[in-house]
Amino acid sequence: MKKTLRSVFLCLMLLFLYLPILILAVYSFTDSTNIGAIHGFSLHNYVTLFTTPELLGMIFGTLLLAFGSAAIATFLGTIGAIGAFYSKEKTSRMISALNEVPVVNADVVTGFSICILLVVAMHISKDTYVPLVIGHVTLSAPFVYLSVMPKIKQMDPALYEAALDLGASPRTAMNKVVIPQIVPGIVSGFGLAVTLSLDDYFIATYTKPATFDTISTYVVNATKGAQTTIKTALWALSTVIFLVVIVVVAFMNLNGKKQKGEVREKAQV
């Protein structure tokens, strides 16, 4: 009886999570202009999505911002995690505590604060994209830190010192010994940073140039008065994003299982 209840509960949760997305995906392949009535099968929304310069420019700009800010955030978060790990205990605790503040802080507070500091106080023009990039790096770097730190703690702290004792320079020891040990955490942190940037709305709203839109800001503005063809094309965009996420997650899981299998085979040998 308990197993049946657990199975029913799990099915209901999965249905609650994925049914709305599946409904949206179904409507993206129809001629319907509103959710509620399906008129007929069509690829019109996808044609509009991939042939409209405005939509393509918005998607390209969002991806460029996401991967660019994620690269910077990954570098800073990784360096911060390594520095905190090899610092004194009190310093390491202080850095970890300070890193938690941006994580629990509301995005709207972060975005508004960055806007006041950079645009109002420092007179940096929003047209330079500097506030927007700094805002997304500020959003993502703490999460990269949290992704990398567990991998560093799993590593033997004596490996770095042993490499130095064997004649390696600090840079060589870092690149040849430490970094390879924490690559999974760095990759996870980078992926999380990209996701956070793609999903962000509040920070982008306060820091972006007036002529630039991310996917999040564009979707919100589109629902307020855009053309019907643009609105329905966004259904197709949402479906494409969902499918890409499924493919990436499946690839990562399969790759992880493959690596675990290789480790087991080496251990048996």
Side-chain angles (χ1 to χ4, degrees):
M1 187 65 179
K2 291 182 178 180
K3 291 182 178 179
T4 302
L5 291 176
R6 284 198 295 265
S7 299
V8 171
F9 178 77
L10 178 61
C11 291
L12 290 176
M13 288 301 299
L14 293 175
L15 187 66
F16 176 78
L17 291 173
Y18 292 103
L19 183 59
I21 301 175
L22 294 177
I23 292 176
L24 183 64
V26 170
Y27 273 91
S28 70
F29 289 99
T30 67
D31 288 329
S32 301
T33 57
N34 293 295
I35 302 294
I38 297 178
H39 299 293
F41 176 81
S42 175
L43 295 176
H44 173 71
N45 293 328
Y46 291 89
V47 173
T48 302
L49 175 63
F50 292 109
T51 58
T52 304
E54 180 183 356
L55 292 175
L56 293 176
M58 177 267 297
I59 296 172
F60 176 77
T62 302
L63 293 176
L64 182 62
L65 171 66
F67 282 93
S69 63
I72 300 173
T74 301
F75 174 78
L76 295 177
T78 302
I79 295 300
I82 295 174
F85 180 74
Y86 286 105
S87 298
K88 295 181 180 179
E89 184 177 356
K90 291 183 178 180
T91 304
S92 179
R93 289 181 179 178
M94 182 184 68
I95 295 175
S96 297
L98 292 175
N99 183 79
E100 293 176 1
V101 175
V103 173
V104 300
N105 193 26
D107 291 351
V108 63
V109 177
T110 302
F112 196 56
S113 301
I114 291 175
C115 180
I116 292 177
L117 175 63
L118 299 180
V119 179
V120 179
M122 301 180 64
H123 302 289
I124 298 178
S125 175
K126 292 170 62 175
D127 294 333
T128 61
Y129 294 91
V130 172
L132 179 59
V133 174
I134 292 178
H136 278 215
V137 171
T138 303
L139 171 68
S140 304
F143 290 91
V144 176
Y145 177 97
L146 294 177
S147 298
V148 174
M149 183 56 76
K151 293 298 180 181
I152 298 179
K153 290 182 178 180
Q154 294 174 6
M155 181 186 66
D156 187 352
L159 289 176
Y160 178 76
E161 297 178 358
L164 296 179
D165 292 339
L166 292 174
S169 65
R171 178 178 296 181
T172 301
M174 183 64 64
N175 294 334
K176 298 292 185 179
V177 178
V178 177
I179 298 298
Q181 297 288 329
I182 61 175
V183 166
I186 296 175
V187 173
S188 298
F190 178 80
L192 183 58
V194 171
T195 303
L196 289 170
S197 179
L198 292 174
D199 187 57
D200 172 67
Y201 170 75
F202 290 105
I203 294 177
T205 299
Y206 285 112
T207 59
K208 73 179 185 68
T211 57
F212 178 80
D213 268 313
T214 63
I215 292 177
S216 298
T217 59
Y218 188 91
V219 169
V220 172
N221 294 331
T223 58
K224 296 179 180 179
Q227 299 177 358
T228 302
T229 54
I230 297 298
K231 290 181 180 179
T232 55
L234 295 177
W235 300 350
L237 175 60
S238 301
T239 304
V240 171
I241 293 174
F242 180 66
L243 292 176
V244 169
V245 170
I246 290 179
V247 172
V248 171
V249 171
F251 174 78
M252 293 179 65
N253 288 336
L254 292 175
N255 189 45
K257 290 181 180 180
K258 182 179 179 181
Q259 291 180 352
K260 289 182 180 179
E262 292 177 352
V263 171
R264 290 176 182 177
E265 291 179 359
K266 291 180 180 180
Q268 293 176 355
V269 173

